[in-house]
Amino acid sequence: MELQEINGSENDKDSYFIKDESVMTSAVDVLTEISSNKRIVLKAEGSLIPNAVAVANIVTENMLKGNSSIDNIKLDSNISEEDGQMISNIEITLLKN
């Protein structure tokens, strides 16, 4: 598997940024978006990465079982210039068949 750097060039209209809220709330929001767009990119960073993975699994395995798939997963880490801490981020691309 090839590592790819995540940058801001991804089309933001297809993006859904995972927030610190209920995973089911995010999954319903993603389901609404993917119904009209057929493609959505879940984005999360730091401690919200497990929530993004959970949302992707809920949508593809429960809500749209057999009608959707995970197309791509990108992982990256950035080092903060302020305090030198490393912050990981993830992008999960979901497709609706």
Side-chain angles (χ1 to χ4, degrees), residues 1-80:
M1 176 179 279
E2 179 181 334
L3 293 177
Q4 299 175 354
E5 183 177 342
I6 297 174
N7 55 30
S9 65
E10 189 74 38
N11 194 351
D12 279 343
K13 75 178 181 81
D14 293 342
S15 298
Y16 180 84
F17 294 90
I18 300 295
K19 299 177 256 343
D20 190 16
E21 62 185 8
S22 164
V23 174
M24 284 306 294
T25 301
S26 295
V28 171
D29 291 346
V30 168
L31 182 64
T32 304
E33 288 295 318
I34 201 169
S35 295
S36 60
N37 293 339
K38 308 290 187 210
R39 175 183 182 275
I40 193 163
V41 180
L42 305 179
K43 295 183 177 185
E45 64 179 26
S47 63
L48 296 177
I49 290 174
N51 291 9
V53 173
V55 169
N57 284 331
I58 289 168
V59 171
T60 59
E61 298 298 322
N62 294 20
M63 295 178 162
L64 293 175
K65 188 169 187 168
N67 293 323
S68 63
S69 62
I70 295 175
D71 181 50
N72 195 12
I73 299 173
K74 295 181 183 178
L75 298 169
D76 194 16
S77 295
N78 297 322
I79 298 176
S80 172

Side-chain angles (χ1 to χ4, degrees), residues 78-87:
N78 297 322
I79 298 176
S80 172
E81 293 181 11
E82 293 175 3
D83 55 9
Q85 284 189 321
M86 186 174 289
I87 301 172

